[in-house]
Amino acid sequence: MPELVFFSGTMDCGKSTLALQRIHNRSARGLQGVIFTRDDRAGEGKLSSRLGLMTDAVEAAPEMDLYAYVVGRMSQGDRVDYLIVDEAQFLASEQVDQLARVVDDLDLDVFTFGITTDFRARLFPGSQRLIELADRIEALQVEAMCWCGARATHNARTVGGQMVVEGEQVVVGDVSCPAGEVGYEVLCRRHHRRRMTSAAVRAGALSPDVLPVAAD
């Protein structure tokens, strides 16, 4: 039976790499899929991995009807055996409904990949709807790690290495952005709650205020 599957995890846990691996495996078997993405770090119409792998994709714009797009491709004679959707957290709720319709009405597997919560630890609308509708939810087995060595469970937005908790929900960035730019860091819950990024910890360790003072 075809399924709507949601592969979820924090940033930096290999979601896009797994999406590319699934595309490769199915291509090797002669299967052809439609690949959607949204706001990929590599730019519009790209699905990229931090390992350096990349493929072309269809940019799932906010107003796009994903079901209608797939039906249109099939009506033109294109072969469609499955769908891959990366950065699925950025989809609108109604677009997730359209993906469910692809599964139910077109009998196609739909594999979606995304993070569940934003930098404020709030569910993205797309992820929330996937949790509500998916036939299966898979947590990625490659665990990202907080700077303290614990399992990372939260995504933090940083500016100049400092964690911020205000701003638009969607701001494109990456875990390897230069200092001073908007970036992201994965943290354990404890350090996300305390807003303790790796840069903040390093700065604190170097501050003269925390150095021991010799007694007279």
Side-chain angles (χ1 to χ4, degrees), residues 147-160:
W147 59 264
C148 69
R151 177 174 175 265
T153 55
H154 289 64
N155 306 292
R157 180 180 295 168
T158 61
V159 177

Side-chain angles (χ1 to χ4, degrees), residues 7-76:
F7 294 92
S8 67
T10 61
M11 298 182 72
D12 211 20
C13 74
K15 296 180 302 301
S16 297
T17 301
L18 179 59
L20 288 162
Q21 182 67 54
R22 284 188 168 254
I23 294 167
H24 171 75
N25 291 349
R26 281 159 177 73
S27 296
R29 291 168 49 199
L31 301 178
Q32 299 179 27
V34 173
I35 305 165
F36 289 108
T37 190
R38 174 86 174 272
D39 292 336
D40 187 272
R41 67 184 73 84
E44 184 174 329
K46 299 293 182 182
L47 193 169
S48 67
S49 164
R50 291 186 183 88
L51 298 183
L53 304 174
M54 185 185 306
T55 191
D56 291 329
V58 178
E59 188 74 14
E63 69 280 1
M64 178 183 285
D65 185 325
L66 304 184
Y67 177 83
Y69 179 87
V70 175
V71 169
R73 289 276 297 266
M74 297 174 74
S75 298
Q76 294 171 6

Side-chain angles (χ1 to χ4, degrees), residues 38 43 47 52 55 57 72 78 121 123 125 127 129 142 147 160 179 187 189 208 212:
R38 174 86 174 272
L47 193 169
T55 191
D78 291 348
L123 284 170
S127 299
R129 194 60 177 148
V142 178
W147 59 264
L187 301 172
R189 185 184 64 234

